[in-house]
Amino acid sequence: MKTFLKAKWENIVMVNYVVEPSILQPYMPFGVDLDTFENKVFVSLVGFQFRKSSIFGLPIPWFGSFEEVNLRFYVKRKVGADEKRGVVFISEIVPSKMVYFLANTLYKEHYSDAKMKSKITVEKDKKKIRYDWFAKKKNNVLAISCLQKTENIQPNSLEEFIYEHYYGYTKVSESETWEYKVNHP
């Protein structure tokens, strides 16, 4: 099967929180269960730059690069003896009405649009990443300052748990769920 949507994710900021499972019940798609790490349920607030987007290999002019901030949680779905691990998006914010319209129409996701900007600065061994978006009459900020150092993801770590989710699940109705595969290198 040919890849429908392809893009690079750059300058990812991810902040993970432990939450009570009951908070997520209204967002749970049919046929999936919450996925846990060390018996804890996590949500993640994620900011990143979506770059060089293409549909079926064709570049998307004017809308191919943009910022996104999303709020997600982690689920699993039993398929026979196998288990598919995925994410459910509570909210996805982008700066373009066209992007949110297409995503909501094609994927039945929960996109909205807002004025957004990002700022990336690199100073010697430090990197600063900041995402700003204006929604509900408030300026919102997701920002970090970190070392310019990479490390491999350690087995059985929280980072591995967060990363190892390769499906997206969308609650279409109380009895219908859409599933799509996500490939990330």
Side-chain angles (χ1 to χ4, degrees):
M1 175 180 273
K2 189 168 179 158
T3 300
F4 170 69
L5 176 67
K6 187 174 183 179
K8 290 185 175 195
W9 289 11
E10 297 178 353
N11 296 305
I12 300 170
V13 174
M14 183 176 279
V15 182
N16 305 299
Y17 301 92
V18 175
V19 298
E20 288 297 321
S22 61
I23 293 171
L24 301 176
Q25 286 309 310
Y27 306 101
M28 286 291 290
F30 176 77
V32 301
D33 297 307
L34 288 172
D35 199 358
T36 62
F37 178 75
E38 296 180 349
N39 296 316
K40 296 175 186 162
V41 173
F42 286 85
V43 297
S44 298
L45 180 61
V46 183
F48 64 97
Q49 295 172 318
F50 213 86
R51 297 289 183 238
K52 298 182 181 177
S53 304
S54 62
I55 296 178
F56 293 120
L58 299 173
I60 305 170
W62 301 289
F63 305 105
S65 294
F66 52 89
E67 290 84 7
E68 178 175 320
V69 173
N70 66 56
L71 183 63
R72 63 175 69 177
F73 64 96
Y74 303 91
V75 297
K76 56 190 175 184
R77 179 175 167 251
K78 283 277 194 190
V79 180
D82 295 327
E83 188 172 78
K84 293 182 174 181
R85 299 174 71 210
V87 300
V88 175
F89 293 102
I90 296 171
S91 175
E92 297 171 89
I93 303 168
V94 293
S96 166
K97 288 185 186 307
M98 180 61 76
V99 170
Y100 101 81
F101 173 77
L102 288 173
N104 289 345
T105 302
L106 295 174
Y107 287 105
K108 304 291 186 207
E109 288 288 359
H110 308 286
Y111 276 81
S112 59
D113 70 311
K115 289 183 180 179
M116 299 182 81
K117 64 182 178 179
S118 59
K119 183 176 181 181
I120 315 302
T121 55
V122 178
E123 303 166 353
K124 295 184 184 180
D125 62 342
K126 280 193 174 180
K127 186 172 193 177
K128 294 180 181 180
I129 305 172
R130 179 181 170 118
Y131 295 97
D132 290 84
W133 67 101
F134 191 78
K136 297 184 181 180
K137 300 182 180 180
K138 293 182 181 178
N139 191 55
N140 301 275
V141 177
L142 174 59
I144 64 161
S145 178
C146 60
L147 295 176
Q148 284 264 84
K149 178 181 170 186
T150 60
E151 295 181 15
N152 291 328
I153 294 175
Q154 297 301 307
N156 303 312
S157 65
L158 176 61
E159 292 81 8
E160 181 183 61
F161 168 79
I162 297 294
Y163 182 80
E164 295 292 326
H165 287 82
Y166 295 98
Y167 291 88
Y169 293 99
T170 303
K171 181 178 182 177
V172 177
S173 71
E174 292 302 317
S175 61
E176 184 180 2
T177 298
W178 283 10
E179 174 187 284
Y180 55 92
K181 187 150 178 26
V182 178
N183 297 317
H184 46 83

